[in-house]
């Protein structure tokens, strides 16, 4: 077990006698040293190699004769690697090689060095593909719970809402309809964000094992994340409460003073502040789960890790959100069309001016099924990017790669330039 402060690695590291070598092969124990035999011992001749490979004891060995080197047009000098020799030279950290530093060790889904954008995205996808038996059940259950709650909320909050194309609809009815829609959407989005945070926390243990090249299961993830669940709930509530209070402070004065301009100005200030705080604390959840810290320490750790790289993390998070949104839209769109044309009257209802019933059970359940499928795929991708961003920042700031290498059983990592 990795007991160093600030990192709670699931599972146990191999013992020193059983750890694999850094080239991926099992490390064999060194044979016991044989005592030197005197020159006259009869055992000496039995262990002697064929003549010509060493001189008699006490004599100076002759200088080795240079061997002719094959010519092949590249001007190879004695000692230069031949074709097919490059792989073994780079098979372990610190291996010699003519092309500079060898590749970083990669015991799991990412190399143990500062990560690029492509490596973070690839690491998240590789974890989903390699550890799908643990990833998909967690996301499927959470996505189903989130969508069931969302359908119930929409059904009862929009029960009296009927969007009609009739020109007789007055402004008051239209405002009420828009207000109800915004309110229901806000509740649904909050539930979605909450589910995403919970999935990120539960999958943190799966991703931390994947970084080390270790397998995990749903029961392992549950057992390792359960002690932090209450603190996770507190962290999630504080994040939501902070966003609401910030919006109330900036927007509510304009509403109470009946000053539309002031309210709009407060809203325009609230949005960038909310984005800044969201990125600043985006690593709080993995810090809480992996470091076994308190809620406020997790906020502090996230702020410290993000400091100086806000724009980079913002860009990666924004790109991840765009990719996830595109994939979700492609999956949900057919179910949305099914909801409109099969359960809501479709274009015929709009043509004859009859209200389109978008709040019956069929119209709500059809897109919910599409969202369950989409979120089962998208949520682990977003969660994985968040966890790998946390690992990347700790590698850059705190040299976490050395600790991860020891946990993965890589001997002498970092002592020879690896």
């Amino acid at each position: 077990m990795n007991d160093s402060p600030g990192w709670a690695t699931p599972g146990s590291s191999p013992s020193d006698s059983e750890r694999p070598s850094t080239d991926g092969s099992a490390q064999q124990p060194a044979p016991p040293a044989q005592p030197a035999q005197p020159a006259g011992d009869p055992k000496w001749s039995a262990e002697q190699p064929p003549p010509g490979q060493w001189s008699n004891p006490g004599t100076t060995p002759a200088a080795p004769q240079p061997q002719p080197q094959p010519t092949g047009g590249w001007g190879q000098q004695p000692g230069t690697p031949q074709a097919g020799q490059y792989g073994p030279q780079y098979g372990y950290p610190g291996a010699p090689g003519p092309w500079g530093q060898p590749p970083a060790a990669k015991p799991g889904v990412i190399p143990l060095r500062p990560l690029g954008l492509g490596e973070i995205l690839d690491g998240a996808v590789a974890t989903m593909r390699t550890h799908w038996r643990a990833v998909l059940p967690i996301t499927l259950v959470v996505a189903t719970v989130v969508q069931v709650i969302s359908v119930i909320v929409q059904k009862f909050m929009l029960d009296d809402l009927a969007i009609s194309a009739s020109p007789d609809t007055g402004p008051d009815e239209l405002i009420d309809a828009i207000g109800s829609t915004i309110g229901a959407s806000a509740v649904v989005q909050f539930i979605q964000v909450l589910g995403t945070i919970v999935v990120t926390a539960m999958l943190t243990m799966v991703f931390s094992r994947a970084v080390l090249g270790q397998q995990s299961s749903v029961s392992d993830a549950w057992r390792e994340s359960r002690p932090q669940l209450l603190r996770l709930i507190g962290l999630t509530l504080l994040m939501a409460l902070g966003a609401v209070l910030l919006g109330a402070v900036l927007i509510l004065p304009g509403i109470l003073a009946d000053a539309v301009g002031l309210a709009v100005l407060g809203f325009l200030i609230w949005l960038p502040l909310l984005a800044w705080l969201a990125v600043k604390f985006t690593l709080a959840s993995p810090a809480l789960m992996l470091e076994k810290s308190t809620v406020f320490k997790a906020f502090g750790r996230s702020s410290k890790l993000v400091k100086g790289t806000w724009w980079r993390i913002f860009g990666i998070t924004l790109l991840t959100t765009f990719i996830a949104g595109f994939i979700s839209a492609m999956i949900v769109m057919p179910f949305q069309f099914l909801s409109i044309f099969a359960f809501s009257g479709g274009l015929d209802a709009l043509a004859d001016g009859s209200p389109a019933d978008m709040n019956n059970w069929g119209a709500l359940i059809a897109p919910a099924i599409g969202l369950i499928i989409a979120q089962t795929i998208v949520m682990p991708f977003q969660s994985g990017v968040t966890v790998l961003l946390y690992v990347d920042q700790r590698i850059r700031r705190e040299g976490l790669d050395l600790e991860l290498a020891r946990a993965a059983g890589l001997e002498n990592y970092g002592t020879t330039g690896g």
Side-chain angles (χ1 to χ4, degrees):
M1 181 72 69
N2 187 356
D3 294 327
S4 57
W7 177 259
T9 305
S12 301
S13 300
S15 62
D16 292 339
S17 61
E18 299 175 351
R19 287 182 178 176
S21 63
T22 53
D23 61 355
S25 63
Q27 193 172 33
Q28 300 296 332
Q34 298 293 334
Q37 300 292 337
D41 197 309
K43 293 184 179 179
W44 177 264
S45 59
E47 298 175 358
Q48 200 171 12
Q53 293 193 11
W54 66 16
S55 59
N56 294 328
T59 61
T60 303
Q65 298 297 324
Q67 299 295 326
Q69 300 293 327
T71 58
W74 289 99
Q76 293 163 325
Q77 299 297 324
T80 57
Q82 303 297 321
Q85 292 181 343
Y86 295 98
Q89 293 183 3
Y90 293 108
Y92 58 94
W99 308 115
Q101 294 294 331
K106 188 179 179 181
V109 295
I110 59 170
L112 300 184
R113 56 170 170 75
L115 304 175
L117 170 62
E119 291 169 328
I120 292 175
L121 300 179
D122 180 71
V125 175
T127 303
M128 294 169 56
R129 183 176 61 249
T130 307
H131 304 273
W132 63 270
R133 289 181 178 86
V135 172
L136 293 186
I138 294 174
T139 54
L140 178 61
V141 171
V142 173
T144 302
V145 172
V146 167
Q147 289 308 313
V148 168
I149 295 176
S150 298
V151 167
I152 295 174
V153 168
Q154 292 180 80
K155 175 64 179 177
F156 289 100
M157 289 189 66
L158 305 179
D159 192 48
D160 298 330
L161 178 62
I163 301 176
S164 174
S166 173
D168 297 334
T169 303
D172 293 338
E173 291 81 359
L174 184 61
I175 292 175
D176 290 341
I178 294 175
S180 299
T181 303
I182 293 175
S185 299
V187 173
V188 171
Q189 288 301 317
F190 173 76
I191 296 172
Q192 176 63 47
V193 171
L194 179 63
T196 301
I197 295 175
V198 171
V199 168
T200 299
M202 292 187 65
L203 292 180
T204 296
M205 302 305 170
V206 178
F207 285 108
S208 63
R209 284 179 176 266
V211 168
L212 301 177
Q214 300 175 357
Q215 296 292 329
S216 58
S217 63
V218 176
S219 60
D220 292 335
W222 167 251
R223 183 178 62 254
E224 291 158 3
S225 62
R226 183 175 55 187
Q228 292 292 96
L229 286 181
L230 289 179
R231 290 178 177 177
L232 173 64
I233 293 173
L235 183 145
T236 304
L237 291 177
L238 281 179
M239 291 180 68
L241 182 61
V244 172
L245 290 178
L246 182 64
V249 169
L250 295 175
I251 302 174
L252 192 58
I255 296 177
L256 295 178
D258 200 17
V260 178
L262 183 59
V264 171
L265 178 62
F267 180 77
L268 294 178
I269 296 175
W270 177 63
L271 281 182
L273 277 177
L274 193 62
W276 179 72
L277 290 173
V279 174
K280 185 180 180 68
F281 299 131
T282 191
L283 305 181
S285 178
L288 177 76
M289 301 302 295
L290 283 177
E291 300 180 17
K292 308 299 182 184
S293 64
T294 62
V295 173
F296 292 102
K297 285 184 179 179
F299 282 124
R301 286 287 292 151
S302 179
S303 178
K304 180 180 178 181
L305 292 172
V306 173
K307 184 178 181 181
T309 57
W310 189 94
W311 285 106
R312 176 177 178 270
I313 295 178
F314 170 75
I316 294 175
T317 304
L318 185 64
L319 177 62
T320 303
T321 303
F322 174 78
I323 295 173
F326 178 79
I327 295 174
S328 296
M330 293 298 100
I331 296 175
V332 173
M333 193 176 298
F335 292 90
Q336 193 67 52
F337 285 148
L338 178 65
S339 170
I340 293 174
F341 291 101
F343 300 104
S344 303
L347 298 177
D348 293 337
L350 297 178
D352 60 17
S354 61
D357 184 10
M358 300 294 293
N359 200 41
N360 62 71
W361 287 110
L364 294 174
I365 291 175
I369 295 174
L371 284 171
I372 289 175
I373 299 173
Q375 290 172 357
T376 301
I377 299 173
V378 166
M379 290 172 72
F381 173 69
Q382 292 180 296
S383 302
V385 170
T386 302
V387 175
L388 294 181
L389 269 175
Y390 165 83
V391 174
D392 174 58
Q393 288 301 109
R394 289 203 59 187
I395 289 177
R396 294 172 182 269
R397 299 288 180 87
E398 303 168 357
L400 183 65
D401 55 322
L402 300 178
E403 193 170 347
L404 292 174
R406 288 193 296 268
L410 302 181
E411 299 290 349
N412 301 322
Y413 179 86
T415 60
T416 56

